[in-house]
């Protein structure tokens, strides 16, 4: 049966594959036929993701994304079999709830490294002819970049930076036949959302969910849109932002 989202034989690198949206995305992409390269720091959680996936020839490559001297090794290992990448998804992210008065340069750097600098470094390596031949890249932003929440200025800024880069990158990557887009999730039920809920009042959580017509989303809601953006079903789409926020109107 014809499936425009078929990803058979596409090789796709997913960061943050050890948890939440990255895990669910990896499972879905494997069901669509893709060969996955799973990264994250926790090897046991990456192995758990692998155990939930379909297909063979997937790779588990534990990697610390703030290790900027080692991206070349990550991509060399991802392409060890001379098969280049067809897609990249940057799901890894950190969302610290930090009041302005205790914001320090170290905290700023920690978040920017993973949410934004890592994204640029991944895209830079992916774009090398040695590692890919065209394909599609998806960055994960967050609704916080558009809807203000107290104590989230750093997180919102890191996601705003990612979104702001997408159009320029789309221009630069077009000649290499690489598309690039971002997904902007609302509140999604993952470890990250549970950690946030444990730090704020139940009223604040209710306020957030009240803004989402469909209340809390699930990781597969985001994974479906990521799969669409990686597949040929979106072959005429680049430089765009897709909201997956349960109707935050
Ligand atoms: N959940 C939400 O409500 C929501 C809403 C909007 C946007 N988002 C965005 O969606 C993305 C996925 O979030 P999630 O909810 O799935 O979060 P999650 O369950 O907390 O997963 C975060 C992932 O990031 C990885 N990671 C964190 N620091 C890393 C580092 N230094 N090096 C390598 N990997 C690192 C973690 O892997 P290890 O711990 O194994 O390293 C984990 O796999 C994030 O970019 C987040 O900002 C989430």
């Amino acid at each position: 049966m014809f499936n425009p989202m078929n990803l058979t034989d596409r090789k796709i690198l997913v960061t943050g594959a050890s948890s939440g949206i990255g895990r669910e995305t990896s499972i879905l992409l494997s069901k669509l036929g893709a060969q996955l390269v799973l990264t994250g720091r926790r090897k046991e959680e990456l192995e758990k993701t692998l155990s939930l996936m379909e297909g063979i020839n997937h790779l588990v490559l534990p990697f610390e994304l703030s290790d900027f001297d080692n991206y070349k090794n990550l991509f060399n290992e991802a392409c060890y079999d001379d098969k280049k990448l067809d897609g990249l998804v940057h799901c890894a992210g950190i969302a610290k709830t930090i009041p302005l008065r205790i914001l320090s340069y170290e905290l700023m750097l920690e978040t920017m490294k993973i949410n934004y600098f890592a994204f640029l470094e991944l895209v830079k390596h992916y774009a090398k002819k040695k590692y890919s031949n065209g394909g599609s890249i998806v960055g994960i932003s967050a609704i916080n970049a558009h809807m203000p929440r107290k104590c989230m200025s750093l997180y919102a800024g890191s996601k705003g930076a990612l979104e702001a880069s997408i159009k320029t990158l789309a221009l630069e990557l077009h000649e290499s036949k690489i598309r690039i887009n971002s997904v902007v999730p609302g509140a999604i039920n993952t470890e990250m959302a549970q950690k946030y809920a444990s730090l704020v009042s139940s009223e604040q959580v209710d306020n957030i969910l009240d803004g989402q017509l469909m209340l809390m989303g699930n990781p597969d809601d985001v994974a479906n849109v990521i799969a669409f953006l990686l597949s040929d079903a979106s072959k005429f789409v680049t430089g765009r932002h897709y909201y997956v926020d349960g109707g935050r109107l």
Side-chain angles (χ1 to χ4, degrees):
M1 197 179 25
F2 173 66
N3 176 4
M5 280 174 50
N6 184 7
L7 294 171
T8 302
D9 289 336
R10 306 276 174 97
K11 189 180 199 175
I12 299 170
L13 190 153
V14 179
T15 71
S18 52
S19 177
I21 294 170
R23 167 172 286 157
E24 205 59 39
T25 299
S26 303
I27 295 168
L28 175 63
L29 299 180
S30 76
K31 289 179 179 167
L32 290 166
Q35 179 192 347
L36 275 296
V37 181
L38 309 175
T39 73
R41 288 166 302 181
R42 293 168 295 170
K43 187 163 188 266
E44 64 287 2
E45 294 300 326
L46 292 172
E47 300 283 2
K48 185 175 167 194
T49 302
L50 181 65
S51 73
L52 299 167
M53 284 164 43
E54 288 185 8
I56 51 170
N57 295 332
H58 305 298
L59 279 178
V60 166
L61 296 179
F63 187 70
E64 164 58 65
L65 282 166
S66 61
D67 188 358
F68 287 97
D69 292 333
N70 265 320
Y71 276 64
K72 192 174 161 194
N73 292 341
L74 172 69
F75 278 79
N76 281 339
E77 284 181 46
C79 300
Y80 80 101
D81 54 0
D82 289 334
K83 184 166 165 27
K84 295 180 187 181
L85 291 161
D86 303 289
L88 165 70
V89 192
H90 182 41
C91 283
I94 47 179
K96 298 217 162 159
T97 308
I98 311 173
L100 187 60
R101 66 180 183 282
I102 61 159
L103 209 49
S104 65
Y105 177 66
E106 284 71 30
L107 287 170
M108 292 183 219
L109 205 52
E110 185 190 11
T111 291
M112 290 305 283
K113 274 184 183 174
I114 304 308
N115 292 4
Y116 183 51
F117 302 157
F119 178 63
L120 290 180
E121 199 66 28
L122 288 161
V123 173
K124 183 180 96 184
H125 280 81
Y126 180 94
K128 291 181 195 289
K129 290 229 174 312
K130 194 175 162 192
Y131 300 127
S132 72
N133 249 338
S136 172
I137 299 173
V138 182
I140 312 298
S141 179
I143 198 68
N144 301 67
H146 307 272
M147 300 276 170
R149 294 274 164 241
K150 277 186 183 169
C151 307
M152 297 300 277
S153 55
L154 175 57
Y155 180 64
S158 70
K159 296 298 188 178
L162 182 149
E163 277 193 41
S165 302
I166 292 286
K167 285 190 180 162
T168 305
L169 291 169
L171 283 176
E172 284 193 47
L173 297 172
H174 174 63
E175 269 186 23
S176 309
K177 297 189 168 36
I178 298 171
R179 297 185 295 110
I180 183 164
N181 295 284
S182 81
V183 168
V184 188
I188 305 294
N189 192 12
T190 66
E191 271 178 36
M192 182 181 280
Q194 285 153 16
K195 204 180 284 175
Y196 176 75
S198 72
L199 293 171
V200 299
S201 68
S202 56
E203 266 180 359
Q204 277 172 286
V205 175
D206 289 346
N207 273 346
I208 291 173
L209 293 182
D210 279 350
Q212 286 190 188
L213 275 185
M214 298 176 199
L215 302 179
M216 183 70 101
N218 288 309
D220 66 308
D221 295 318
V222 185
N224 284 327
V225 178
I226 294 172
F228 162 72
L229 290 171
L230 289 169
S231 75
D232 290 346
S234 62
K235 63 184 167 48
F236 198 52
V237 180
T238 194
R240 291 292 162 198
H241 310 295
Y242 272 70
Y243 285 72
V244 187
D245 59 359
R248 186 171 280 278
L249 306 173

Coordinates of all heavy atoms in Angstrom, one line a residue, residues 187-217:
A187 N 2.4 21.9 26.0 CA 2.8 21.0 27.1 C 2.5 19.5 26.7 O 1.4 19.2 26.3 CB 1.9 21.4 28.3
I188 N 3.6 18.7 26.8 CA 3.6 17.3 26.4 C 4.0 16.5 27.6 O 5.0 16.8 28.3 CB 4.6 17.1 25.2 CG1 4.3 18.0 24.0 CG2 4.5 15.6 24.8 CD1 3.0 17.8 23.3
N189 N 3.3 15.4 27.8 CA 3.5 14.6 29.0 C 4.8 13.7 28.9 O 4.8 12.7 28.4 CB 2.3 13.7 29.3 CG 2.4 13.0 30.6 OD1 3.2 13.4 31.5 ND2 1.5 12.0 30.9
T190 N 5.9 14.3 29.4 CA 7.2 13.6 29.4 C 7.9 13.9 30.8 O 7.4 14.6 31.6 CB 8.1 14.1 28.3 OG1 8.5 15.5 28.7 CG2 7.5 14.1 27.0
E191 N 9.1 13.3 31.0 CA 9.9 13.5 32.2 C 10.0 15.0 32.4 O 10.0 15.5 33.5 CB 11.3 12.9 32.0 CG 11.4 11.5 32.5 CD 12.8 11.0 32.2 OE1 13.8 11.8 32.4 OE2 13.0 9.8 31.9
M192 N 10.3 15.8 31.3 CA 10.5 17.2 31.4 C 9.3 17.9 32.0 O 9.4 18.8 32.9 CB 10.9 17.8 30.0 CG 11.2 19.3 30.0 SD 11.6 19.9 28.4 CE 13.3 19.4 28.2
A193 N 8.1 17.6 31.5 CA 6.9 18.3 31.9 C 6.6 17.9 33.4 O 6.2 18.7 34.2 CB 5.7 17.9 31.0
Q194 N 6.9 16.6 33.7 CA 6.6 16.2 35.1 C 7.5 16.9 36.1 O 7.1 17.3 37.2 CB 6.8 14.7 35.2 CG 5.6 13.9 34.6 CD 6.0 12.5 34.1 OE1 7.0 12.0 34.5 NE2 5.1 12.0 33.3
K195 N 8.8 17.1 35.6 CA 9.8 17.9 36.5 C 9.3 19.3 36.7 O 9.3 19.8 37.8 CB 11.2 17.8 35.8 CG 12.3 18.0 36.8 CD 13.6 18.0 36.2 CE 14.1 16.6 35.7 NZ 15.4 16.7 35.0
Y196 N 8.8 19.9 35.6 CA 8.3 21.3 35.7 C 7.1 21.4 36.7 O 7.1 22.3 37.5 CB 8.0 21.8 34.3 CG 7.4 23.2 34.3 CD1 8.2 24.3 34.5 CD2 6.0 23.4 34.2 CE1 7.6 25.6 34.5 CE2 5.4 24.7 34.2 CZ 6.3 25.8 34.4 OH 5.7 27.1 34.4
A197 N 6.2 20.4 36.5 CA 5.0 20.4 37.3 C 5.3 20.3 38.8 O 4.6 20.8 39.7 CB 4.0 19.3 36.9
S198 N 6.4 19.6 39.1 CA 6.8 19.3 40.5 C 7.4 20.6 41.1 O 7.5 20.7 42.3 CB 7.8 18.2 40.6 OG 9.0 18.6 40.1
L199 N 7.8 21.6 40.3 CA 8.4 22.8 40.8 C 7.5 24.0 41.0 O 7.8 25.0 41.6 CB 9.6 23.2 39.9 CG 10.8 22.2 39.9 CD1 11.8 22.6 38.7 CD2 11.5 22.2 41.2
V200 N 6.3 23.9 40.3 CA 5.4 25.1 40.3 C 4.1 24.6 41.0 O 3.9 23.4 41.3 CB 5.2 25.6 38.9 CG1 6.4 26.1 38.3 CG2 4.5 24.6 38.0
S201 N 3.2 25.6 41.3 CA 2.0 25.3 41.9 C 1.0 24.6 41.0 O 1.1 24.7 39.8 CB 1.3 26.6 42.5 OG 0.9 27.4 41.3
S202 N 0.0 23.9 41.6 CA -0.9 23.2 40.7 C -1.8 24.2 39.9 O -2.2 23.9 38.8 CB -1.8 22.3 41.5 OG -2.4 23.0 42.5
E203 N -1.9 25.4 40.5 CA -2.6 26.5 39.8 C -1.9 26.9 38.5 O -2.5 27.1 37.4 CB -2.7 27.7 40.6 CG -4.0 27.8 41.4 CD -4.0 29.1 42.3 OE1 -3.1 29.9 42.3 OE2 -5.1 29.2 43.0
Q204 N -0.6 26.9 38.6 CA 0.2 27.3 37.4 C 0.1 26.2 36.3 O 0.0 26.5 35.1 CB 1.7 27.5 37.8 CG 2.0 28.9 38.3 CD 3.4 29.0 38.9 OE1 3.7 28.5 39.9 NE2 4.3 29.7 38.1
V205 N 0.1 24.9 36.8 CA -0.1 23.8 35.8 C -1.4 23.9 35.1 O -1.6 23.8 33.9 CB 0.1 22.5 36.5 CG1 -0.2 21.3 35.5 CG2 1.5 22.3 37.1
D206 N -2.5 24.2 36.0 CA -3.8 24.3 35.4 C -3.9 25.4 34.4 O -4.6 25.3 33.4 CB -4.9 24.5 36.6 CG -5.0 23.3 37.4 OD1 -4.6 22.2 37.0 OD2 -5.6 23.4 38.5
N207 N -3.2 26.5 34.7 CA -3.2 27.7 33.8 C -2.7 27.3 32.5 O -3.2 27.7 31.4 CB -2.4 28.8 34.4 CG -3.2 29.7 35.3 OD1 -4.4 29.6 35.3 ND2 -2.5 30.5 36.1
I208 N -1.6 26.6 32.5 CA -1.0 26.2 31.2 C -1.9 25.3 30.4 O -2.2 25.5 29.2 CB 0.4 25.4 31.5 CG1 1.4 26.4 32.0 CG2 0.9 24.8 30.2 CD1 2.7 25.8 32.5
L209 N -2.5 24.3 31.1 CA -3.4 23.4 30.4 C -4.7 24.0 30.0 O -5.2 23.7 28.9 CB -3.6 22.1 31.3 CG -2.4 21.3 31.5 CD1 -2.7 20.0 32.4 CD2 -1.7 20.9 30.2
D210 N -5.1 25.0 30.8 CA -6.3 25.7 30.3 C -6.2 26.4 29.0 O -7.1 26.6 28.2 CB -6.7 26.8 31.4 CG -7.4 26.2 32.5 OD1 -7.8 25.1 32.4 OD2 -7.6 26.9 33.6
G211 N -4.9 26.8 28.7 CA -4.6 27.5 27.4 C -4.6 26.5 26.2 O -4.6 26.9 25.1
Q212 N -4.5 25.2 26.5 CA -4.4 24.2 25.4 C -5.8 23.6 25.3 O -6.3 22.8 26.2 CB -3.4 23.1 25.7 CG -2.0 23.6 25.5 CD -0.9 22.6 25.6 OE1 0.3 22.9 25.6 NE2 -1.2 21.3 25.6
L213 N -6.5 23.9 24.2 CA -7.9 23.3 24.0 C -7.9 21.8 24.2 O -8.9 21.3 24.8 CB -8.3 23.6 22.5 CG -8.9 24.9 22.1 CD1 -9.3 24.9 20.7 CD2 -10.0 25.2 23.1
M214 N -6.9 21.1 23.8 CA -6.9 19.7 24.0 C -6.2 19.2 25.2 O -5.8 18.0 25.3 CB -6.3 19.0 22.7 CG -7.2 19.3 21.5 SD -6.4 18.7 20.0 CE -7.1 19.7 18.7
L215 N -5.9 20.1 26.1 CA -5.2 19.8 27.4 C -3.8 19.2 27.1 O -3.2 19.5 26.1 CB -6.0 18.9 28.3 CG -7.4 19.6 28.7 CD1 -8.2 18.6 29.6 CD2 -7.2 20.9 29.3
M216 N -3.3 18.3 27.9 CA -1.9 17.8 27.8 C -1.8 16.9 26.6 O -2.6 16.0 26.3 CB -1.6 17.0 29.1 CG -0.2 16.5 29.1 SD 1.0 17.8 29.4 CE 1.3 17.7 31.1
G217 N -0.7 17.1 25.8 CA -0.4 16.3 24.7 C 0.5 15.1 25.1 O 1.0 15.1 26.2

